[in-house]
Every structure is written in structure tokens, then in C-alpha cells.
């Protein structure tokens, strides 16, 4: 199960390894490397999503966006920090925001990786509309995270005005 547009639904995408044969139909997700190697074939096939690394400048996808049904952004922990321990890599927030606002991407933006309840509201505000909870976590708990906050100070890609904008309206 995944969360799409704040509803629990069956995952209708198949993630393909780079060496896996292309199925005749159905929604698929491929790596950025495979997308780049087989762009024309995948565009003709349709129903294709691409998983991007967190260090990708999404402007590189600008010309491909109309052909992509889904873009998968990765939220991960980085090990080690210079002072020890781990830190959260938040670049996927920026990728989602840029895809929605600067490039007008209308397809699904799917969050994968180290997703925890405290981040789901912010992911949604940045333009993520599909959450793929990590194996072993409660999908219902993740769904309830959308109700944790009712207002935000930051501008967003979800169309909801910030507290500041509400005050001056």
C-alpha cells in the first residue's frame, strides 16, 4: 500500500532493475541511468516513472517531464557527518518544489526512503503527492501525519497559503 493524494491505495507501479525486460504494459519505475539509455523506447511505451538521486539538478529533466508519469525522489540519511553520527539529506524537498513550481510538473512525485511521520506534512507542502512508507512502518500512521499540522509559515507547492498570507488577506 502507498499513499496517493492522501488516500491509501494499492501500489500500481512496478520497479524495474536496469537489466529487467520491459513488460508490455503497466506502470513502471526505472532508474535515471536506464531512462537516459532507453529514453526513446520508454517514451513510446508510456506509463514510465524515473527514480532520481538526491544530488540531481532537476533542470536536467526539463525536456523529459511531459513523458514522465512519475518522478521518485529519495529521502535518505547521510553517514557519517563530519562530527560523527548521521544527518538527513533534505535535497529531495527542493527537487519536489522545483518540479512543481518552476517546471510545472503535473505527474506524481513519489517519496521513498527514510520517511518518518514528522516529515510527511513538509513533503506534501513541497509537492510530493505519493508517499511510499518504508517496509515495516504503519501506512495508517503515515496517513494520519497529514493531520499533524494545520498551518505553516513557509510558502508551498500544495496551494495552501502560509500563515503570513492568511494574515494579510
Amino acid at each position: 500500500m502507498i499513499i496517493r493524494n492522501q488516500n491509501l491505495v494499492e501500489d500500481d507501479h512496478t520497479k524495474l532493475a536496469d537489466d529487467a525486460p520491459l513488460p508490455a504494459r503497466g506502470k513502471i519505475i526505472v532508474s535515471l541511468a536506464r531512462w537516459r539509455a532507453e529514453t526513446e523506447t520508454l517514451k513510446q511505451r508510456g506509463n514510465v516513472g524515473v527514480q532520481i538521486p538526491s544530488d540531481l539538478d532537476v533542470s536536467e529533466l526539463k525536456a523529459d517531464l511531459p513523458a514522465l508519469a512519475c518522478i521518485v525522489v529519495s529521502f535518505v540519511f547521510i553517514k557519517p557527518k563530519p562530527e560523527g553520527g548521521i544527518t538527513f539529506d533534505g535535497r529531495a524537498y527542493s527537487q519536489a518544489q522545483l518540479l512543481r513550481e518552476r517546471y510545472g510538473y503535473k505527474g506524481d512525485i513519489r517519496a521513498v526512503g527514510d520517511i518518518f511521520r514528522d516529515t510527511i506534512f513538509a513533503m506534501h507542502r513541497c509537492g510530493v503527492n505519493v508517499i511510499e512508507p518504508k517496509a515495516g512502518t504503519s501506512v495508517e500512521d503515515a496517513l494520519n501525519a497529514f493531520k499533524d499540522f494545520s498551518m505553516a509559515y513557509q510558502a508551498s507547492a500544495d496551494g495552501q497559503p502560509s500563515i503570513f498570507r492568511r494574515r494579510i488577506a
Side-chain angles (χ1 to χ4, degrees):
M1 298 294 287
I2 59 171
I3 299 169
R4 177 177 285 125
N5 300 321
Q6 298 186 38
N7 295 298
L8 287 177
V9 296
E10 290 287 329
D11 189 354
D12 56 354
H13 284 79
T14 301
K15 292 181 184 173
L16 292 183
D18 286 345
D19 59 351
L22 285 177
R25 62 184 167 276
K27 297 177 181 180
I28 59 171
I29 295 172
V30 298
S31 70
L32 181 61
R34 185 164 188 175
W35 173 257
R36 287 178 172 164
E38 301 176 39
T39 301
E40 291 310 313
T41 300
L42 292 168
K43 280 183 178 180
Q44 289 175 8
R45 184 193 180 283
N47 287 322
V48 177
V50 63
Q51 183 160 355
I52 62 174
S54 61
D55 63 351
L56 179 75
D57 178 348
V58 294
S59 68
E60 293 180 33
L61 293 175
K62 184 178 178 181
D64 295 329
L65 293 178
L68 293 170
C70 175
I71 298 175
V72 180
V73 294
S74 301
F75 291 87
V76 296
F77 283 100
I78 301 171
K79 304 177 195 176
K81 292 189 325 187
E83 63 273 13
I86 60 175
T87 190
F88 192 69
D89 182 356
R91 292 177 286 184
Y93 290 111
S94 298
Q95 289 174 321
Q97 186 98 13
L98 288 167
L99 286 165
R100 292 285 188 224
E101 292 187 350
R102 184 175 294 169
Y103 301 110
Y105 182 67
K106 302 291 186 213
D108 284 344
I109 298 179
R110 178 188 284 228
V112 300
D114 296 316
I115 297 170
F116 47 98
R117 185 177 179 135
D118 292 354
T119 62
I120 291 173
F121 180 79
M123 289 176 185
H124 174 69
R125 298 265 306 156
C126 290
V128 171
N129 70 308
V130 178
I131 306 288
E132 183 181 318
K134 205 171 190 176
T137 61
S138 167
V139 180
E140 291 80 14
D141 188 51
L143 184 59
N144 287 328
F146 291 100
K147 300 173 192 168
D148 286 349
F149 306 98
S150 60
M151 295 186 200
Y153 288 97
Q154 300 82 7
S156 72
D158 70 357
Q160 297 299 313
S162 67
I163 291 172
F164 173 72
R165 292 282 175 219
R166 289 180 190 184
R167 285 184 187 155
I168 63 171

